[in-house]
Structures are given as C-alpha cells and as structure tokens.
Amino acid sequence: QSVLTQPPSASGTPGQRVTISCSGSSSNIGSNTVNWYRQLPGTAPRLLLYTNLQRPSGVPDRFSGSKSGTSASLAISGLQSEDEADYYCATWDDSLNGPVFGGGTKLTVL
Amino acid sequence: QVHLLGSGPGLVKPSQTLSLTCTVSGDSISYYYWNWIRQPPGKGLEWIGYIYYDGNTKYNSALKSRVTISVDTSKNQFSLQLTSVTAADTAVYYCATAPYSGSYYFHFDYWGQGALVTVSS
C-alpha cells in the first residue's frame, strides 16, 4: 500500500491530452513539493518534473505539473507513442521523515 | 552530469546479507544525498535510505533495523548492506542522487541503471 495514491492505469490516443492524479495528505503533498518520474519498460526511472512543475533540461514542455492542497497532477499534451511508460509521483513525508512514492500509473497510448 | 553504476551479486541466499556498491562519476560525491531505492518485480518504488557525504544517514523506518549505507569518498562510492534477507527483498536496486536542497524540495535527479538481486536458496 503506497502512501501516495495514483490510478493504476491511464490511456489516450496520439495527440490527446491526458492527466494523471496523485493524492496524499497534509504530511506529504500538503507540506512539500511534488516530483514526477517516468519509467520506460525495462529501464530505470528518470526525473520528469520536480518542485511541482519544473522540467529538467531535455524534458519537453508537453509535460506539465500542478499541485493543489494534498493533491497533484501530471498532464501530458500531444500524446505520443513513446510516452507509454509507468509514471510515479513522489514527495517528502514529514511524518515518516523520508521520501514516499505513489504506486505508479501505467500509461497506454492506444 | 552525474553517472551512477551499481554493482553486486545478483543472487543472495535467504538469511544472508545483500551488499551493493554504487560508483559515482562525473561529479564529486560531495553535496548530494546518495540514495538506495528498490523495486520488486512488477511493483512500485520503495526508498531504502540515503547517506550524505559527511556520513550522516537516514533510513526508511520499515527497513531501518536491517540497513546500513556507507560512503567511501576516496573511491567516489557508496554502498548498501541489507541483512537477514528473505524472498520479499528480491528487487531491482537503484542508486540515485538527490541534491542538497532540504526535504521540501527533495527529489532524485540521477539514477543508476539498477541491479536485480534475487533472494533464493
């Protein structure tokens, strides 16, 4: 059971906009910034967004993030086939005194 | 750009100690938190713990009694030891960096390639 809650799956067609939600509590998302990681099949996760909405160098602006209260979301616009991956949200949890992850969302491009 | 390379035995017997090393290149081992994260097959990510270059550590409370993370700054390496392993510890183990920016901004910016460790007799 993950501390942060994500839908297990999401899907969209090429060109569409999809969003993935991440729900937490006052001790984690409510108190700290949220980060998103993308894990392509058979590879290590890579940082996709940090500090709620910042993109590391090389991440296209099709990826955006937002946070409100104890929830956050990742939006992917102009969906492409190569976006098929697992997406994880993460943040620090003040009660557990360490970083925590969501259970991951498997994105399928139809 | 930081490059991380994890290494260690791929098979460990139950009740024994799992040992992994992560070699860092491209930057000094200073000024980052050096983390271990694992992912059981087909499952999500679990943070194991981190060490700062000065030796300060923080561990996941669920694993704390079995985990030791150490650092060798002369070799630009940090290591993980997990004792009394069971089949539940079978996972891909990743090493990862987190910039020294406090818990509010805590995030993992570089990841190693991952090392599958299977616990089996």
Side-chain angles (χ1 to χ4, degrees), chain B residues 84-105:
Chain B
S84 305
V85 296
T86 69
D89 295 310
T90 293
V92 175
Y93 286 76
Y94 296 102
C95 49
T97 64
Y100 184 66
S101 56
S103 59
Y104 183 76
Y105 298 104

Side-chain angles (χ1 to χ4, degrees), chain B residues 3-108:
Chain B
H3 184 69
L4 304 165
L5 184 63
S7 60
L11 182 64
V12 181
K13 288 182 167 51
S15 80
Q16 293 191 342
T17 296
L18 177 160
S19 297
L20 294 171
T21 296
C22 187
T23 302
V24 181
S25 60
D27 202 348
S28 168
I29 202 164
S30 303
Y31 311 122
Y32 287 98
Y33 294 110
W34 304 95
N35 297 263
W36 288 99
I37 297 157
R38 69 180 183 178
Q39 184 174 35
K43 296 189 178 180
L45 301 163
E46 179 182 36
W47 174 74
I48 298 170
Y50 70 56
I51 189 166
Y52 193 50
Y53 80 100
D54 64 359
N56 282 327
T57 55
K58 188 182 290 291
Y59 301 131
N60 184 325
S61 58
L63 300 168
K64 188 174 183 177
S65 63
R66 299 194 292 130
V67 172
T68 301
I69 298 177
S70 57
V71 65
D72 187 338
T73 54
S74 67
K75 294 181 180 178
N76 251 29
Q77 291 179 335
F78 63 107
S79 300
L80 168 70
Q81 286 199 315
L82 182 66
T83 62
S84 305
V85 296
T86 69
D89 295 310
T90 293
V92 175
Y93 286 76
Y94 296 102
C95 49
T97 64
Y100 184 66
S101 56
S103 59
Y104 183 76
Y105 298 104
F106 194 91
H107 62 276
F108 306 105

Side-chain angles (χ1 to χ4, degrees), chain A residues 4-104:
Chain A
L4 305 179
T5 301
Q6 297 180 237
S9 64
S11 63
T13 56
Q16 240 185 350
R17 183 178 186 270
V18 297
T19 61
I20 297 172
S21 62
C22 177
S23 177
S25 69
S26 58
S27 66
N28 43 65
I29 293 179
S31 303
N32 299 289
T33 58
V34 177
N35 314 294
W36 291 89
Y37 302 89
R38 180 166 81 163
Q39 186 175 32
L40 298 172
T43 69
R46 288 189 68 177
L47 182 64
L48 187 65
L49 296 174
Y50 64 102
T51 316
N52 301 330
L53 48 71
Q54 301 295 322
R55 288 185 302 274
S57 174
V59 174
D61 58 7
R62 300 189 297 109
F63 297 90
S64 61
S66 64
K67 185 187 109 167
S68 178
T70 59
S71 294
S73 63
L74 166 69
I76 309 172
S77 60
L79 198 61
Q80 301 177 3
S81 58
E82 52 262 41
D83 295 331
E84 271 206 355
D86 293 325
Y87 292 83
Y88 293 90
C89 61
T91 186
W92 187 273
D93 190 294
D94 292 338
S95 295
L96 297 175
N97 200 20
V100 292
F101 291 94

